[in-house]
Amino acid sequence: MSAKYVTVQWTKRKIIYDAMVVLGTAVYIALFTMIGHAARPDVSGPILDMRAYGSCAFLMLTIILCLGPLARIDKRFLPLVYNRRHFGVAMFLVAAVHAWKVLSFYHAYSDVPELVSLLTNDASFTKSSWPFQLFGSWALLIVFVMAVTSHDFWQKTLGGTTWKSLHMLVYVAYALAVLHVAYGALQLETHWAYATLVCAAAGTVIGLHLVAGARSNALDRRGVTWATHEGARWIDAGPPGRIPKNRALPVLVPNGERIAIVRDGERVHAVHGVCAHQGGPLYEGKVIDGCLTCPWHGWQYKPGDGCSPPPFTEKIPTYRVCLSGEGHLLVDPMPLAAGTPTEGVLIGKEHGDAA
Amino acid sequence: MTRGQRRAHRIAWLVLGPLVIAALAYALALRADVPPSETPGAEASP
């Protein structure tokens, strides 16, 4: 979140996160090269190098794609989602080094330019051969576009929906990367362990997304629970004590969207569940320094009025809440204008405590 | 995430998942048939 354009808004957490990514990448490549030299003296240095960078990029993309569903399944993974963009850009750089090493080793002596050689040398589908280099090239092109448009400037320029749709192409990039490995390296290296590792990686990514999707779908299918209060229809959000202290929970509203019911100490508010930044799930966020904080990139909103703390100017809609006679939290289904202050409700110990 | 984004994620993986698994299975089946010298890209080595 930013009041003005800055290249990267560094925070201590971002620096630590990025340092871990750089350190992890360097250690992986060093270990791969050392072990590779010792275990496979028949493989030349340049080939070992390109495999080190290629396998590292594949592993990084696998981890990046696992973070989202893991965080939806278990909130303990949420801190890893934060700053995932830098992880993605680092992955692109490692993949680009892999591609550069392949071009300068396999295609440097071709009669045609290196890129032409890469794109034409192995470009046909036959029964026994698929163009694995093309798969890798397309995957790299997608992550390149994602890396250069990863800054908030592009999100604002392209618009949230276009930007998000563009960045969902990472799933296609991963599918292409799996095919690149399966029809390339796995055809050369026939030991069962390599095939097992690739299958496990792809299976984990696909399985986690399907499980997280099914759980999310189950919440949507449950539908809205209605209650009548003082002659009007309100959404019954259940006992307020089920919201852990300084956390948020999702509640479905009639249009199928989710709002966040937020517990800030002993007071509960309801705000729009979608972050104004990149559509992050505010209902999975937590209260830090009195502000509901988006788990994706740390954008913050005050639960009482949906406004970002000064100097920031973002606002999200708020909802009126009250307690029913049975002690259930009720939410008015009609949103208030973005930034409208609400009182929220004060909950006592008699309402239970999930904290 | 909005309702549309959640739906798009689900559809993406319901379509991509089986496609990737099928292509991966085909690649593994090919390994049994193709000698290393005929592996795609192998002839490009200097």
Side-chain angles (χ1 to χ4, degrees):
Chain A
M1 85 196 276
S2 174
K4 58 176 184 166
Y5 183 89
V6 286
T7 312
V8 177
Q9 209 168 30
W10 291 106
T11 63
K12 192 181 170 188
R13 280 181 70 184
K14 279 186 184 174
I15 292 168
I16 292 171
Y17 194 108
D18 288 3
M20 296 298 287
V21 169
V22 171
L23 188 70
T25 305
V27 167
Y28 176 89
I29 288 169
L31 281 178
F32 189 102
T33 311
M34 279 166 53
I35 296 170
H37 272 303
R40 294 290 302 274
D42 56 310
V43 179
S44 71
I47 291 180
L48 208 55
D49 256 4
M50 70 180 75
R51 287 184 182 177
Y53 281 94
S55 61
C56 185
F58 183 71
L59 178 65
M60 288 167 89
L61 188 52
T62 301
I63 295 171
I64 290 166
L65 289 182
C66 286
L67 294 180
L70 273 175
R72 287 199 290 280
I73 292 167
D74 188 332
K75 283 194 186 324
R76 281 176 296 181
F77 289 97
L78 270 175
L80 295 176
V81 175
Y82 183 78
N83 210 27
R84 189 173 40 170
R85 267 193 291 182
H86 289 200
F87 199 173
V89 173
M91 180 275 300
F92 160 70
L93 293 175
V94 173
V97 173
H98 165 72
W100 170 68
K101 283 180 178 289
V102 168
L103 279 177
S104 56
F105 184 75
Y106 283 122
H107 299 278
Y109 304 100
S110 172
D111 295 335
V112 291
E114 293 171 6
L115 266 178
V116 175
S117 168
L118 171 78
L119 297 173
T120 56
N121 183 36
D122 159 42
S124 59
F125 282 88
T126 66
K127 196 178 171 189
S128 62
S129 156
W130 285 21
F132 78 98
Q133 294 186 107
L134 274 188
F135 295 145
S137 306
W138 280 105
L140 185 65
L141 181 66
I142 291 173
V143 293
F144 165 72
V145 172
M146 289 179 60
V148 296
T149 59
S150 64
H151 196 280
D152 283 351
F153 167 79
W154 284 103
Q155 197 240 322
K156 280 179 184 159
T157 305
L158 297 172
T161 309
T162 308
W163 189 91
K164 195 70 198 167
S165 305
L166 179 71
H167 281 240
M168 273 186 66
L169 283 176
V170 69
Y171 300 151
V172 177
Y174 187 71
L176 289 167
V178 171
L179 298 190
H180 174 64
V181 175
Y183 290 89
L186 284 191
Q187 302 299 318
L188 284 169
E189 297 292 346
T190 52
H191 194 284
W192 61 269
Y194 300 116
T196 306
L197 282 173
V198 174
C199 289
T204 304
V205 170
I206 294 167
L208 280 173
H209 276 89
L210 291 179
V211 169
R215 289 174 71 147
S216 171
N217 203 21
L219 184 68
D220 288 345
R221 279 169 188 264
R222 219 176 289 159
V224 179
T225 309
W226 293 102
T228 304
H229 180 67
E230 295 177 352
R233 285 215 310 170
W234 293 66
I235 298 166
D236 187 343
R242 75 186 179 98
I243 315 167
K245 220 172 211 173
N246 297 328
R247 285 281 186 180
L249 285 180
V251 168
L252 204 66
V253 289
N255 65 1
E257 296 294 353
R258 293 175 184 177
I259 62 171
I261 46 172
V262 193
R263 181 167 171 189
D264 180 12
E266 297 306 320
R267 193 168 283 275
V268 175
H269 295 275
V271 295
H272 190 54
V274 179
C275 181
H277 178 215
Q278 286 181 9
L282 287 175
Y283 45 82
E284 291 174 5
K286 61 181 176 182
V287 178
I288 299 173
D289 299 329
C291 292
L292 176 61
T293 305
C294 179
W296 281 7
H297 304 104
W299 281 40
Q300 293 189 306
Y301 306 91
K302 289 179 281 172
D305 59 11
C307 295
S308 293
F312 306 107
T313 54
E314 287 77 15
K315 290 174 187 173
I316 52 173
T318 53
Y319 290 80
R320 290 191 306 138
V321 292
C322 68
L323 284 176
S324 71
E326 295 83 39
H328 277 207
L329 183 71
L330 303 180
V331 182
D332 184 350
M334 292 301 293
L336 302 169
T340 306
T342 57
E343 283 187 14
V345 292
L346 202 58
I347 59 168
K349 289 203 182 299
E350 68 272 18
H351 294 115
D353 197 341
Chain B
M1 288 191 283
T2 63
R3 182 189 184 192
Q5 285 172 349
R6 293 197 300 274
R7 188 185 291 163
H9 274 81
R10 275 199 298 273
I11 292 170
W13 284 105
L14 283 172
V15 173
L16 274 180
L19 282 178
V20 169
I21 289 167
L24 197 50
Y26 186 67
L28 295 179
L30 278 183
R31 299 197 320 160
D33 305 332
V34 183
S37 60
E38 292 177 24
T39 303
E43 72 280 1
S45 302

